[in-house]
Amino acid sequence: MAFLHTLPSTLFLFFFISFSTINAQPSPSYYPSKIFKPLAFHYGFQNLWGAQHQHVHHGQVSIWLDRNSGSGFKSTRPFRNGYFGASIKLQPGYTAGVITAFYLSNNQAHPGFHDEVDIEFLGTTPGNPYTLQTNVYVRGSGDGRVIGREMKFHLWFDPTSAFHHYAIIWNPDEIIFLVDDVPIRRYQKKSAATFPIRPMWVYGSIWDASSWATDDGRYPADYRYEPFIARYTNFIIHGCSAYASLRCRPVRSSIYGSGLGPNQNLAMRWAQRNFLVYDYCKDFKRDHSLTPECNWP
């Protein structure tokens, strides 16, 4: 009888501990966001479009989307590798159809045939989580030959309640996506044909992607809830610009140099086991002859 009496509280404790363990962010033991110094927005970036929808104040940049326009900014220099990060706070409430992005691209230099490395937040409806989409494009654009390499995640925190740091490490051999220094994805160079090698600029933007952003376009942007605001701060750019000497060394992705350390690998497996919601390599409806890296070890 005593066992039966204590069973409910024991089960509650078990589920509470299990839930807490799942949602407890592991330590990667390597914190590049703490190593590199932030730079002022005006030092490293410039407005790209929608200047009237952009506001800079005390190191924080707000950009917003309404029925008239979105907004975007761009780094003043292109880079051939580096660490690129920003702390971002997203809009709460109804944000379906809205994309908030932080990414690398050379679209303006190579229109129709560009490279791109994306961190994109796909807007949502109240009560449902944001989706963080990571993507890699290699020499392709809106010409019918787009080959996306999407991996999508939900987050282990509310990205609308506080700033969190999102970053890309791009080295000659790999691309690593990080959330608060936790690696969530490692995209390795398997061949020159599947890896971006040309210089790219750093961008941030907010825009209307009603046709696909939320549940494949089922929920479009609703401008009764405008403006949709994205806030950025703690910008970090540390790497080799396109104009740097060839002696410029790529940023380390771990304490070992390239690759991930043991704790980083454990943290990445935790993130993918608990929060990964889509992996292009595991989508059997896709033609993987176009993404040969999915078939390589």
Side-chain angles (χ1 to χ4, degrees), residues 36-250:
F36 309 119
K37 297 179 64 174
L39 76 164
F41 178 80
H42 288 304
Y43 180 80
F45 295 91
Q46 60 190 10
N47 173 262
L48 181 61
W49 57 285
Q52 73 279 13
H53 287 66
Q54 188 174 121
H55 178 67
V56 183
H57 182 68
H58 289 173
Q60 184 181 129
V61 181
S62 298
I63 56 177
W64 60 93
L65 168 71
D66 61 24
R67 67 189 70 234
N68 297 311
S69 177
S71 186
F73 54 84
K74 176 185 178 182
S75 64
T76 56
R77 294 182 295 166
F79 293 83
R80 63 176 186 261
N81 57 64
Y83 176 96
F84 312 96
S87 295
I88 303 172
K89 185 178 179 182
L90 301 175
Q91 172 97 354
Y94 188 102
T95 56
V98 178
I99 296 290
T100 301
F102 184 74
Y103 61 105
L104 311 177
S105 179
N106 50 32
N107 181 51
Q108 292 175 291
H110 306 285
F113 203 59
H114 77 289
D115 308 294
E116 190 166 308
V117 180
D118 294 330
I119 291 175
E120 297 176 306
F121 300 94
L122 312 186
T124 188
T125 54
N128 293 306
Y130 268 91
T131 297
L132 186 157
Q133 175 170 279
T134 65
N135 208 347
V136 178
Y137 292 100
V138 182
R139 292 183 288 282
S141 186
D143 54 4
R145 294 182 293 139
V146 177
I147 302 173
R149 294 169 166 86
E150 303 93 341
M151 288 181 69
K152 301 179 183 180
F153 299 81
H154 289 156
L155 295 165
W156 51 95
F157 52 81
D158 178 1
T160 72
S161 64
F163 283 94
H164 289 267
H165 199 75
Y166 307 91
I168 297 165
I169 294 177
W170 172 37
N171 284 335
D173 299 318
E174 61 195 350
I175 296 167
I176 298 170
F177 298 86
L178 306 105
V179 176
D180 288 338
D181 290 312
V182 172
I184 61 170
R185 177 182 183 183
R186 182 181 180 218
Y187 180 85
Q188 295 176 265
K189 182 180 181 181
K190 301 293 182 68
S191 75
T194 61
F195 196 84
I197 57 176
R198 297 176 297 182
M200 291 187 278
W201 285 258
V202 190
Y203 293 82
S205 64
I206 189 168
W207 54 289
D208 186 330
S210 290
S211 63
W212 65 270
T214 308
D215 200 6
D216 293 326
R218 181 180 177 188
Y219 298 100
D222 187 339
Y223 288 102
R224 291 178 299 174
Y225 299 99
E226 68 177 31
F228 303 102
I229 304 171
R231 296 175 172 85
Y232 297 72
T233 191
N234 191 28
F235 293 96
I236 300 175
I237 297 180
H238 188 92
C240 301
S241 79
Y243 317 119
S245 164
L246 293 178
R247 291 176 294 178
C248 182
R249 298 175 63 86

Side-chain angles (χ1 to χ4, degrees), residues 5-37:
H5 179 73
T6 58
L7 181 59
S9 60
T10 304
L11 285 174
F12 174 81
L13 181 62
F14 171 78
F15 286 120
F16 176 79
I17 293 173
S18 298
F19 182 81
S20 300
T21 301
I22 288 174
N23 288 275
Q25 177 178 314
S27 169
S29 299
Y30 179 66
Y31 298 90
S33 71
K34 311 300 182 187
I35 297 172
F36 309 119
K37 297 179 64 174

